[in-house]
C-alpha cells in the first residue's frame, strides 16, 4: 500500500538510481559520435532489462542544435533482447527488436546536386570499420512511428513541370 502511494505521488525508480543519469550521458556521447552531430536527450528511463526510453530527443540539422533540428521526438523507446545483448557482448544495436518513435517531427530535404539532409544521419560503413574490432552498422529491428509529423522539401523537383522549383509536402499521423 505504501508503494502504491509513493508511485501515485509521481515517484519513479529513475529518481532513486543514478544509473539513469550516467546512462543518459553515455547515450548522448554515443549518439553524437554515431550521427556526427549534436544530439540532445532530456532524460533516460525504462526497465534497463529489456527496454530503454529516451525522452525529448533532438538531433541537429547540421553540426550544432543552434542551427536547427532534423528530427525531434517526444520519446524513443528501444526494446531489446537481454539474451542477444549478452551474446553480442553489450552491443545494444545487435540486440534491438523494436524501436518506437513517439510524436516525432522529421524534416527531410533534397538539395540541388542530389544531396539529402538525412543522408548524414546514416553512419558511414568506412567510419565504423576503422574502429578496432567493429563491424558495419546493421539494425534488424522493427521501427514504429506514432503520432508523427513530417515535412519533405525537394529543391530539385521530380518531373519536367516543376524541375528547378521547390516542392514542399507535409504529413501528419
Amino acid at each position: 500500500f505504501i508503494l502504491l502511494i509513493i508511485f501515485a505521488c509521481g515517484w519513479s525508480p529513475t529518481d532513486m538510481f543514478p544509473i539513469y543519469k550516467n546512462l543518459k550521458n553515455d547515450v548522448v556521447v554515443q549518439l553524437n559520435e554515431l550521427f556526427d552531430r549534436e544530439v540532445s536527450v532530456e532524460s533516460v528511463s525504462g526497465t534497463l532489462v529489456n527496454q530503454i526510453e529516451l525522452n525529448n530527443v533532438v538531433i541537429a540539422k547540421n553540426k550544432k542544435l543552434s542551427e536547427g533540428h532534423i528530427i525531434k521526438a517526444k520519446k524513443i523507446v528501444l526494446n531489446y533482447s537481454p539474451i542477444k545483448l549478452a551474446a553480442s557482448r553489450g552491443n545494444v544495436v545487435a540486440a534491438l527488436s523494436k524501436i518506437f518513435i513517439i510524436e516525432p517531427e522529421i524534416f527531410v530535404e533534397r538539395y540541388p546536386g542530389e544531396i539529402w539532409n538525412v543522408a548524414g544521419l546514416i553512419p558511414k560503413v568506412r567510419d565504423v570499420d576503422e574502429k578496432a574490432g567493429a563491424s558495419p552498422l546493421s539494425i534488424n529491428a522493427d521501427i514504429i512511428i506514432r503520432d508523427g509529423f513530417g515535412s519533405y522539401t525537394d529543391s530539385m523537383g521530380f518531373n519536367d513541370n516543376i524541375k528547378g522549383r521547390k516542392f514542399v509536402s507535409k504529413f501528419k499521423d
Side-chain angles (χ1 to χ4, degrees):
F1 179 73
I2 292 174
L3 284 176
L4 182 61
I5 292 172
I6 291 171
F7 283 112
C9 292
W11 180 87
S12 77
T14 59
D15 299 329
M16 187 173 158
F17 301 111
I19 189 170
Y20 288 98
K21 186 174 182 180
N22 296 337
L23 182 60
K24 175 197 163 205
N25 294 337
D26 290 344
V27 164
V28 169
V29 166
Q30 290 179 22
L31 289 175
N32 285 337
E33 184 179 310
L34 179 68
F35 295 127
D36 191 30
R37 63 187 70 215
E38 190 176 359
V39 177
S40 169
V41 177
E42 183 179 285
S43 64
V44 174
S45 57
T47 63
L48 298 185
V49 174
N50 64 348
Q51 183 182 79
I52 297 172
E53 297 178 8
L54 309 176
N55 302 297
N56 295 316
V57 178
V58 183
I59 301 174
K61 181 177 182 177
N62 295 309
K63 294 289 183 185
K64 298 285 183 190
L65 284 169
S66 60
E67 300 169 332
H69 64 275
I70 190 170
I71 297 175
K72 182 179 189 180
K74 182 175 183 176
K75 183 179 285 192
I76 298 177
V77 180
L78 306 171
N79 289 351
Y80 57 90
S81 163
I83 294 168
K84 287 183 180 177
L85 184 64
S88 67
R89 296 185 177 146
N91 182 347
V92 175
V93 173
L96 284 173
S97 58
K98 289 187 180 170
I99 301 170
F100 294 91
I101 305 173
I102 313 299
E103 294 184 30
E105 295 175 7
I106 302 170
F107 300 94
V108 177
E109 296 181 62
R110 181 171 71 151
Y111 307 114
E114 289 291 328
I115 299 169
W116 292 82
N117 68 337
V118 292
L121 293 177
I122 302 168
K124 308 286 186 281
V125 172
R126 65 180 168 353
D127 293 341
V128 174
D129 284 340
E130 290 172 3
K131 296 178 182 171
S135 58
L137 181 66
S138 175
I139 299 175
N140 188 23
D142 295 331
I143 299 174
I144 297 106
I145 298 173
R146 290 193 182 146
D147 300 323
F149 169 81
S151 174
Y152 169 65
T153 302
D154 191 330
S155 296
M156 294 199 42
F158 53 86
N159 69 26
D160 290 336
N161 294 334
I162 63 170
K163 203 85 160 162
R165 295 188 329 206
K166 188 178 276 191
F167 169 80
V168 178
S169 178
K170 297 180 179 183
F171 54 92
K172 184 168 178 68
D173 173 19

